[in-house]
Amino acid sequence: VTRIASGAVVESERIGEDVSIGEFAIVRDGAELADGVVLHPHVVVGSGVSLGERVEVHTGAVLGKEPALTAGIARRPKSASRVVTIGERCSIGVHAVIYYDASVGPDTLIGDGASIREGSRIGAACVIGRYTLLHYDVTVGDGSRIMALSDIVGHTVIGKDVFISGLVSSANDNALGREGYSDDVMRGPMIEDEAMVGAGAILLPGVVIGRAALVAAGALVTRDVEPETRVMGVPARPA
Amino acid sequence: LSGIATGAVVESDRIGEGVSIGERAIVRAGAALGDGVVIHPNVIVGPGVSLGDAVEVFPGTLLGKAPSRTASVARAPTEVPRTVTIGDGCSVGANAVLYDDVSIGPESLIGDGAILREACRVDARCIVGRYTTFAYEVTMGAGSRIMGETHITGRSTIGERVFIGPGVRSANDATFGRADDVDEVILGPTIEDDAVIGVGAVLLPGVVIGRGATVAAGAVVTRDVGPGTTVMGVPARPAGDDPASARSSDRSGP
């Protein structure tokens, strides 16, 4: 039996069985909620958003946001589809924001306040920590976990079963914005399967962290890290 | 024609043409909304807020918050007018918080969850990234950009066309709050026009980053940086005159 609390606005007719929609939540026309979905109060689900079975969305989360297009933006967002797909049994945190043209695989946790921009593709059974940012066109493989307050820059590629600790930052533009923006030049880090990145590490543009490599906490990674090696320090060197 | 959704509370009569106000948004008496403004659901627009034409405010954002005054605050906030001014074409939020006495120039972007405290001045065509926080009395010149998760400390001055990467941190009190009169010793960094600050850099109190200077990623800046120079490391030291030496593509490393 589906339950819609008082004050909720449900414009969509594509609502499954046993769905619960909390007070003042908004479900726009064209959104799709599968069986057993739970929306807590004040959630906004935009048109074109599809939630798999038993997805739970916590208070104040915004699913389906258009990228902003103010004059200060160096990179004009590509024409993104107005679609967000969230797989079965995902949990989306309080105040999380997911932009249009993003997808999240099943059994993934999106933490409170996490913000995921257009073009991001997150696999199954992942964790995106609280207040962690994913920029545009980021790929996260199945089983990878990113802890809180990390900033994953545009065009980053993260493999499977990767672990990224908290407060990790990254960059994709060696010119620091001085030479304008070109998608051909910007390269985020590539973090291969099973690699580990310690708390507070900084990953510079285009570095490759090899398979099962380990970046120590606080390291500044300025060059590639070979598979199964450890680096530490500023700049990072093999341990 | 303006559209006001169910449950929205609109106390103001200063609402322009073609305005859209979402469900449960609140627009207090005295607020002014220009033509074509879009207010998403659950936004709160305080009484002294003025929004230019075509401003878009995403869900859950709060415009016009009074500074907190608990006993634990070392520096009692100065009295500020209850005004927030946002220029034409700006985009704000979701879940951003702008305190009283903040102004934002036209065509600027304030990211999701960004927080700007009282007496901040942001000029035109700026970007303040997601979850980036400004303490009080920060000025930011036209065309400057700050990426996400960065903290700009109180009394920082940022020039025009400055770029500040993500995860940059700054401090304004070398006494760590131990001074008898905290307000007298506080001074944030000054970042002059066209300077760039790399990801994860740390700027200590009162440092001046000269015009067109480069601070490399992860550098800890403890003293002034001359115009046009590049610094890197912990503590940051000059790296020569070629900005390219600060790049990760320099495979010899710093």
Side-chain angles (χ1 to χ4, degrees):
Chain A
V1 181
T2 285
R3 169 189 157 275
I4 298 177
S6 69
V9 175
V10 181
E11 299 170 354
S12 171
E13 294 174 351
R14 301 163 72 190
I15 309 292
E17 304 280 321
D18 298 321
V19 167
S20 171
I21 299 177
E23 289 80 355
F24 314 123
I26 296 171
V27 182
R28 295 290 181 211
D29 188 22
E32 182 173 7
L33 275 53
D35 296 348
V37 163
V38 176
L39 301 185
H40 288 262
H42 296 293
V43 165
V44 180
V45 179
S47 179
V49 175
S50 171
L51 306 182
E53 291 182 14
R54 289 163 51 205
V55 166
E56 182 164 11
V57 186
H58 292 272
T59 302
V62 178
L63 307 183
K65 185 189 173 194
E66 304 278 2
L69 284 167
T70 59
I73 307 254
R75 171 182 179 272
R76 311 312 295 177
K78 290 178 288 191
S79 56
S81 68
R82 295 192 84 247
V83 170
V84 172
T85 307
I86 310 288
E88 297 85 357
R89 298 173 300 278
C90 284
S91 174
I92 313 292
V94 174
H95 289 165
V97 180
I98 301 183
Y99 286 63
Y100 275 120
D101 190 24
S103 70
V104 180
D107 298 304
T108 285
L109 169 65
I110 308 292
D112 302 331
S115 178
I116 294 167
R117 274 190 49 191
E118 68 276 8
S120 288
R121 300 286 178 262
I122 301 170
C126 293
V127 175
I128 308 296
R130 280 174 282 176
Y131 295 110
T132 280
L133 306 182
L134 266 54
H135 293 240
Y136 51 88
D137 298 346
V138 169
T139 304
V140 181
D142 294 345
S144 287
R145 292 171 290 162
I146 306 173
M147 301 294 102
L149 289 162
S150 284
D151 186 313
I152 307 299
V153 77
H155 296 308
T156 297
V157 178
I158 298 172
K160 295 181 179 176
D161 299 315
V162 165
F163 181 86
I164 297 176
S165 190
L167 289 154
V168 169
S169 301
S170 53
N172 65 1
D173 177 13
N174 273 318
L176 293 99
R178 278 181 169 143
E179 293 167 13
Y181 188 91
S182 164
D183 269 317
D184 301 332
V185 175
M186 301 304 157
R187 285 203 307 145
M190 173 179 288
I191 306 170
E192 295 183 350
D193 297 351
E194 298 168 36
M196 294 153 278
V197 180
I202 300 173
L203 310 180
L204 291 193
V207 296
V208 177
I209 314 294
R211 185 182 177 101
L214 188 149
V215 173
L220 173 67
V221 182
T222 61
R223 59 181 87 175
D224 294 351
V225 178
E226 295 299 312
E228 297 182 10
T229 57
R230 279 168 190 243
V231 298
M232 55 175 60
V234 180
R237 300 187 190 283
Chain B
L1 216 70
S2 295
I4 298 176
T6 326
V9 175
V10 181
E11 299 171 351
S12 169
D13 53 11
R14 299 166 66 194
I15 308 290
E17 299 287 317
V19 168
S20 166
I21 299 176
E23 291 84 351
R24 255 88 54 192
I26 298 171
V27 181
R28 293 292 180 207
L33 275 53
D35 295 343
V37 164
V38 178
I39 304 291
H40 285 260
N42 302 326
V43 167
I44 299 179
V45 180
V49 175
S50 171
L51 305 182
D53 293 344
V55 169
E56 184 163 13
V57 185
F58 286 89
T61 285
L62 171 58
L63 304 179
K65 184 190 176 204
S68 300
R69 294 172 187 281
T70 60
S72 52
V73 177
R75 174 188 163 275
T78 45
E79 291 294 334
V80 293
R82 298 219 63 186
T83 55
V84 172
T85 306
I86 299 182
D88 296 349
C90 286
S91 173
V92 184
N95 293 324
V97 181
L98 271 55
Y99 281 62
D100 290 333
D101 193 24
V102 164
S103 72
I104 311 287
E107 285 289 330
S108 289
L109 167 62
I110 308 297
D112 304 330
I115 300 177
L116 277 67
R117 270 188 53 187
E118 68 275 11
C120 285
R121 302 280 175 269
V122 174
D123 209 328
R125 301 181 310 283
C126 289
I127 295 175
V128 177
R130 289 174 283 174
Y131 295 112
T132 282
T133 52
F134 280 23
Y136 48 86
E137 298 169 24
V138 172
T139 62
M140 182 174 182
S144 288
R145 293 170 288 161
I146 305 177
M147 301 294 101
E149 316 263 32
T150 281
H151 179 64
I152 305 296
T153 192
R155 298 198 185 138
S156 296
T157 303
I158 300 168
E160 298 185 356
R161 299 174 303 279
V162 166
F163 177 87
I164 300 177
V168 169
R169 290 152 283 171
S170 54
N172 64 5
D173 178 11
T175 75
F176 295 86
R178 287 177 173 150
D180 291 333
D181 186 353
V182 170
D183 216 31
E184 274 196 356
V185 299
I186 287 174
L187 182 60
T190 294
I191 305 170
E192 295 182 351
D193 296 350
D194 301 301
V196 297
I197 314 292
V199 50
V202 179
L203 309 180
L204 293 192
V207 296
V208 177
I209 313 296
R211 185 182 179 102
T214 300
V215 173
V220 176
V221 181
T222 60
R223 58 182 81 175
D224 294 351
V225 177
T229 57
T230 296
V231 298
M232 54 175 59
V234 182
R237 298 186 190 283
D241 295 327
D242 177 14
S245 65
R247 299 180 178 187
S248 67
S249 54
D250 173 15
R251 297 297 167 166
S252 65

